[in-house]
Amino acid sequence: GAGVSQSPSNKVTEKGKDVELRCDPISGHTALYWYRQSLGQGLEFLIYFQGNSAPDKSGLPSDRFSAERTGGSVSTLTIQRTQQEDSAVYLCASGGDRYNEKLFFGSGTQLSVL
Amino acid sequence: EDKVVQSPLSLVVHEGDTVTLNCSYEVTNFRSLLWYKQEKKAPTFLFMLTSSGIEKKSGRLSSILDKKELFSILNITATQTGDSAVYLCARPETSGSRLTFGEGTQLTVNP
């Protein structure tokens, strides 16, 4: 696609429910990142995929969070048993330059846990 | 984790003013420093700096890197209300390729 696409754009859920967030990166980009941004805060790294290498999961805040990337393209971030503190904007980005530093971001998913 | 520190955290100016945003960083093995603009949700790329002392320019925006003093500045001249946004500074982690972002500077340009 022309840009990074994320869905849904907004998600309201009840505490304790599971949610899945989807990211469709720019075609051909080998790097894919998930970041989280709470209101008024900076970007918090969650997980990084690069090609077929093992993902860097070091930013995932708890074992309730997981992500996968199928076929080196689409990625899904899953949050199990959501808590109110999970409420944030979840941003996906993809990169295709040599060091994957020039990232292209999607418009994010605003997650609200009631 | 290498830190990226931005200042000021917020700034309010009037149209036509010139602003300077600061970004300082820690480094073990420097590779690059990047600036992004975040207006609503999606940050958009502005500049990538790799060499010290070489100014990058795009319209009214410019940026320069000082690798000796470990900082970068982003200048915006003749500010417009459309420049209102959060400006983020980022650098790749030395332990991997992921980008570490600063907290950002919230710039508000009033008419």
Side-chain angles (χ1 to χ4, degrees):
Chain A
V4 178
S5 177
Q6 290 189 245
S7 61
S9 55
N10 285 283
K11 177 72 177 177
V12 180
T13 191
E14 294 178 351
K15 178 181 172 181
K17 300 280 190 183
D18 297 351
V19 294
E20 281 190 357
L21 312 180
R22 177 188 168 104
C23 173
D24 213 327
I26 292 173
S27 178
H29 278 190
T30 57
L32 187 147
Y33 297 76
W34 284 97
Y35 285 88
R36 176 170 75 172
Q37 188 173 34
S38 300
L39 190 63
Q41 302 296 309
L43 274 65
E44 176 190 2
F45 167 79
L46 296 177
I47 188 167
Y48 162 57
F49 296 90
Q50 171 55 49
N52 295 321
S53 302
D56 176 357
K57 303 180 181 180
S58 59
L60 295 178
S62 78
D63 60 7
R64 296 186 296 104
F65 288 73
S66 63
E68 60 179 29
R69 188 179 185 191
T70 53
S73 181
V74 172
S75 177
T76 303
L77 177 69
T78 301
I79 309 173
Q80 296 178 309
R81 306 181 301 282
T82 51
Q83 303 294 313
Q84 288 183 331
E85 61 263 28
D86 299 335
S87 296
V89 175
Y90 289 80
L91 290 163
C92 175
S94 71
D97 63 322
R98 182 179 178 185
Y99 293 111
N100 302 314
E101 291 156 348
K102 183 178 177 181
L103 300 185
F104 295 84
F105 284 81
S107 296
T109 294
Q110 172 72 64
L111 175 66
S112 300
V113 182
L114 304 179
Chain B
E1 179 177 300
D2 293 336
K3 291 184 179 178
V4 177
V5 179
Q6 293 188 245
S7 65
L9 292 181
S10 67
L11 188 58
V12 181
V13 300
H14 292 289
E15 269 192 316
D17 288 350
T18 293
V19 298
T20 298
L21 310 182
N22 303 288
C23 175
S24 64
Y25 59 92
E26 298 175 357
V27 62
T28 304
N29 293 301
F30 180 83
R31 192 163 71 217
S32 64
L33 189 130
L34 299 100
W35 285 95
Y36 286 80
K37 177 182 181 182
Q38 185 177 28
E39 292 181 79
K40 291 182 180 177
K41 288 182 182 176
T44 54
F45 172 82
L46 292 175
F47 298 112
M48 182 166 74
L49 303 159
T50 57
S51 299
S52 198
I54 298 176
E55 184 183 58
K56 295 244 176 150
K57 196 170 172 66
S58 176
R60 295 175 295 102
L61 277 68
S62 64
S63 184
I64 198 161
L65 177 70
D66 186 326
K67 289 165 76 172
K68 182 179 177 184
E69 300 299 330
L70 307 183
F71 76 90
S72 173
I73 60 172
L74 175 69
N75 278 320
I76 309 175
T77 59
T79 51
Q80 302 172 357
T81 55
D83 295 328
S84 296
V86 175
Y87 290 84
L88 297 163
C89 176
R91 59 148 304 180
E93 284 266 321
T94 54
S95 59
S97 294
R98 66 181 191 184
L99 289 186
T100 296
F101 284 83
E103 293 292 317
T105 294
Q106 171 73 64
L107 175 65
T108 303
V109 182
N110 291 323

